[in-house]
Amino acid sequence: FKIETSSIYLYTSERFGKRLESGAIVETVEPLGFDFTSSNIGSGFFPVLSKLENQLGDIIDEKDYSVVLGSTATDITQDAVRIPLTMSVGLLDNLTLGVTVPITRERTEIGTHFNPENSNVGISPTIDNVAGVNSFLDNLNSAESELSNIIGDLCSSGVESSQCIEAYSVLQESQTFRETLTQSYTGFGVFPLTNSAAGNLLKLRLDDLSTAHSNLGVNSFPTTMPLATNLISQKHYLSLITDPSYGIDAVSLESQLRPWTLGDIEFFSNFKMLSKNKKDFESEPSSSRNINYLVGVGGLFRLGTGQSDLANNFVDVGNGDGQNDFELKVFVNLSDVELWSVWLEASYGIQRPTTITRRIAPPHVTFPPSSTTQLLNWTPGDYTQVRISPRFRLTRELAFLTDTRYFNKKSDKYTMVSMPDCNLSVCLDPKALQHETDQNLLEVGGGFIFSKRFPANSRPLELHLLYRKAVWGKGGNTPKTSLFEFGVRL
């Protein structure tokens, strides 16, 4: 019977990223806050702003109009504490069965600095001047009503007259202008600033319509329009992420701490196929007397009892995937009792599908709209892991070890849930989520193992201390982690 517990601390502030630059794919180490850092925040960050750009671009005749909220720099660090409790029982000399129950806690530290100095939009007047916006739109509507009455008189003698055609054209332009402004004032949280290029073009467009109305005898058309006068603050910038009326409706980009929760429970078995230890061959020559070896195979079933990351939280770190895994492994141990040993383990894991909720967008989209949220079938990619750990005995009780781990995971697969109301005509294609889900990681490290019987000839107690750090990786979203582990085995 064996019982073991460890305290594992995982930390990361970087990832092995992938991005497109000048038409070429660049793979490099990136800070975790890279996606949330920009010198020109616009529709690339907030896709819903592309609608505002198109609407305003049409009425000011600027097809390339771009919204710039300002710049932001974001620092993100993530860490997790995992405390697995493992119990195993040797049922036979060759067979061991066991279970691991992990308790975990995840934390994300975020520091965001927003600067509106290069912005061309500010806080929407519907927020700080709602009465002025309502009055302006009402005046537009009243002027159109007055023009409609005039059109009735102008067109009474014939709809083909030049005055009738001209008046009707002005009315249509005014209605399009008013309807576009009504949509642009609301639903985005931002609007062109006074004296910005777009703000000046809106004023010119208003002046042209005012002159056209005046020439037709309408003098009630407004001559001034509310524009944004206040720069965006950091508080308002964060509200663009959280306020449902702006289309994102997600958890705020602020530091988060998950409570202690249960991770993925693992049931495992190990079977010893070949072994040889000192007592098996004491009659052999002294040159080989101290050489031991062990060869075995193992299996693991991992329950999806952990919690996966949340669809409305862009920096969430789950403590599990919420689905079941099967894992097979082969392990080998070769040792000289007095001097050294080498532990080698290779495993292959098959991750089973489950149903999850995700926002469908490519990896480079920072804040996907809530409208992209869908229920999906998700199959995480199978993984391969190889670990080698040479150990060198310093004293009878103390040994030094090095530890190298290579991990490879294939890309995930996403498909639409088979439902009558979900097909490509009404639901988004989830294949965009598959990008940057493959992972490759190489970690190296070392530590110490202390083993002693307390008191002598009683059951052995083992303590271990390990540090391991990622030195190479790729995949786009593969975290560059550091691991600290302290464990006790009885």
Side-chain angles (χ1 to χ4, degrees):
F1 175 77
K2 182 166 59 179
I3 183 169
E4 179 180 5
T5 185
S6 300
S7 177
I8 302 171
Y9 177 74
L10 284 162
Y11 170 86
T12 181
S13 61
E14 296 176 314
R15 70 184 183 195
F16 295 100
K18 180 192 298 184
R19 61 180 182 268
L20 190 66
E21 287 187 359
S22 303
I25 295 178
V26 177
E27 294 184 292
T28 183
V29 175
E30 300 170 342
L32 290 183
F34 181 83
D35 289 339
F36 304 95
T37 298
S38 175
S39 57
N40 292 290
I41 306 170
S43 55
F45 256 44
F46 298 92
V48 293
L49 292 179
S50 61
K51 183 178 180 180
L52 176 64
E53 293 173 340
N54 293 334
Q55 289 176 176
L56 294 180
D58 286 341
I59 60 175
I60 64 175
D61 199 22
E62 288 286 335
K63 301 302 181 183
D64 296 328
Y65 170 64
S66 297
V67 169
V68 178
L69 277 66
S71 62
T72 184
T74 302
D75 295 319
I76 298 178
T77 60
Q78 293 177 331
D79 63 76
V81 178
R82 185 173 185 267
I83 303 176
L85 176 64
T86 300
M87 293 175 286
S88 55
V89 178
L91 298 182
L92 304 170
D93 285 346
N94 290 348
L95 179 64
T96 300
L97 300 179
V99 60
T100 299
V101 179
I103 306 298
T104 69
R105 187 193 68 183
E106 293 74 35
R107 176 173 56 186
T108 301
E109 294 285 346
I110 302 177
T112 299
H113 176 69
F114 175 78
N115 188 341
E117 287 185 1
N118 64 329
S119 61
N120 60 11
V121 293
I123 298 176
S124 175
T126 53
I127 296 174
D128 52 18
N129 186 20
V130 62
V133 172
N134 290 336
S135 176
F136 170 70
L137 295 176
D138 288 343
N139 290 337
L140 284 179
N141 193 51
S142 298
E144 291 168 8
S145 297
E146 186 177 346
L147 180 58
S148 295
N149 294 331
I150 293 175
I151 290 176
D153 295 334
L154 293 175
C155 298
S156 59
S157 59
V159 295
E160 295 181 357
S161 67
S162 58
Q163 283 187 319
C164 177
I165 294 173
E166 178 186 356
Y168 190 71
S169 176
V170 171
L171 177 62
Q172 285 185 315
E173 290 180 11
S174 179
Q175 288 174 336
T176 300
F177 184 73
R178 175 178 54 81
E179 291 169 358
T180 301
L181 286 181
T182 300
Q183 296 173 10
S184 300
Y185 273 127
T186 59
F188 303 101
V190 297
F191 199 77
L193 282 163
T194 300
N195 297 326
S196 66
N200 290 332
L201 289 173
L202 285 172
K203 291 177 184 177
L204 290 175
R205 182 67 177 142
L206 183 71
D207 291 342
D208 291 342
L209 287 172
S210 178
T211 300
H213 278 71
S214 179
N215 292 337
L216 292 169
V218 178
N219 297 316
S220 61
F221 195 88
T223 56
T224 59
M225 67 180 299
L227 294 170
T229 57
N230 295 320
L231 292 174
I232 298 171
S233 64
Q234 179 157 315
K235 180 179 179 181
H236 184 69
Y237 167 69
L238 294 176
S239 75
L240 298 178
I241 304 169
T242 59
D243 194 323
S245 62
Y246 301 144
I248 305 299
D249 191 16
V251 175
S252 181
L253 199 63
E254 296 176 342
S255 297
Q256 303 166 15
L257 177 65
R258 274 197 173 201
W260 290 98
T261 54
L262 182 68
D264 291 340
I265 297 175
E266 300 175 349
F267 295 93
F268 62 87
S269 64
N270 294 318
F271 183 77
K272 180 172 61 176
M273 300 177 64
L274 298 171
S275 69
K276 198 171 188 180
N277 56 42
K278 183 177 179 180
K279 68 179 181 180
D280 293 332
F281 51 96
E282 289 187 349
S283 60
E284 295 185 10
S286 60
S287 60
S288 63
R289 185 173 299 169
N290 291 334
I291 303 298
N292 300 335
Y293 64 83
L294 168 69
V295 180
V297 295
L300 179 147
F301 178 65
R302 184 179 295 113
L303 290 175
T305 50
Q307 299 177 0
S308 63
D309 49 305
L310 303 174
N312 66 337
N313 191 331
F314 301 123
V315 295
D316 188 32
V317 180
N319 64 353
D321 291 335
Q323 44 73 235
N324 301 329
D325 299 341
F326 296 97
E327 183 179 301
L328 298 175
K329 70 177 179 180
V330 177
F331 54 89
V332 177
N333 187 60
L334 183 65
S335 66
D336 182 310
V337 176
E338 303 296 334
L339 297 176
W340 54 266
S341 68
V342 177
W343 177 266
L344 174 65
E345 181 178 295
S347 57
Y348 183 81
I350 301 173
Q351 304 198 76
R352 303 301 300 154
T354 188
T355 302
I356 60 169
T357 301
R358 284 288 183 271
R359 296 192 181 199
I360 299 178
H364 65 269
V365 176
T366 305
F367 300 117
S370 59
S371 60
T372 63
T373 303
Q374 287 181 197
L375 188 67
L376 302 170
N377 293 317
W378 173 47
T379 304
D382 295 350
Y383 62 87
T384 303
Q385 180 174 264
V386 178
R387 186 175 177 182
I388 182 170
S389 182
R391 305 176 183 188
F392 307 93
R393 188 169 295 280
L394 303 178
T395 68
R396 179 176 293 274
E397 294 85 12
L398 186 64
F400 169 75
L401 68 91
T402 63
D403 193 51
T404 302
R405 171 182 175 263
Y406 172 73
F407 177 79
N408 169 267
K409 185 181 80 69
K410 299 177 182 178
S411 296
D412 300 347
K413 294 180 180 179
Y414 294 87
T415 57
M416 290 184 293
V417 173
S418 180
M419 297 172 60
D421 59 344
C422 191
N423 52 64
L424 288 177
S425 63
V426 295
C427 292
L428 298 173
D429 188 346
K431 290 184 179 179
L433 294 174
Q434 298 176 184
H435 300 300
E436 299 186 11
T437 57
D438 59 306
Q439 292 186 359
N440 284 273
L441 190 66
L442 178 64
E443 299 173 305
V444 297
F448 295 92
I449 297 177
F450 178 82
S451 181
K452 190 174 179 62
R453 294 178 182 270
F454 295 99
N457 300 322
S458 68
R459 295 180 177 85
L461 175 71
E462 181 182 286
L463 309 176
H464 71 268
L465 179 67
L466 175 67
Y467 170 75
R468 197 169 64 228
K469 182 179 179 64
V471 295
W472 173 86
K474 63 179 183 178
N477 279 303
T478 305
K480 186 180 180 182
T481 54
S482 296
L483 175 146
F484 299 88
E485 178 178 342
F486 175 74
V488 180
R489 176 184 296 164
L490 179 62

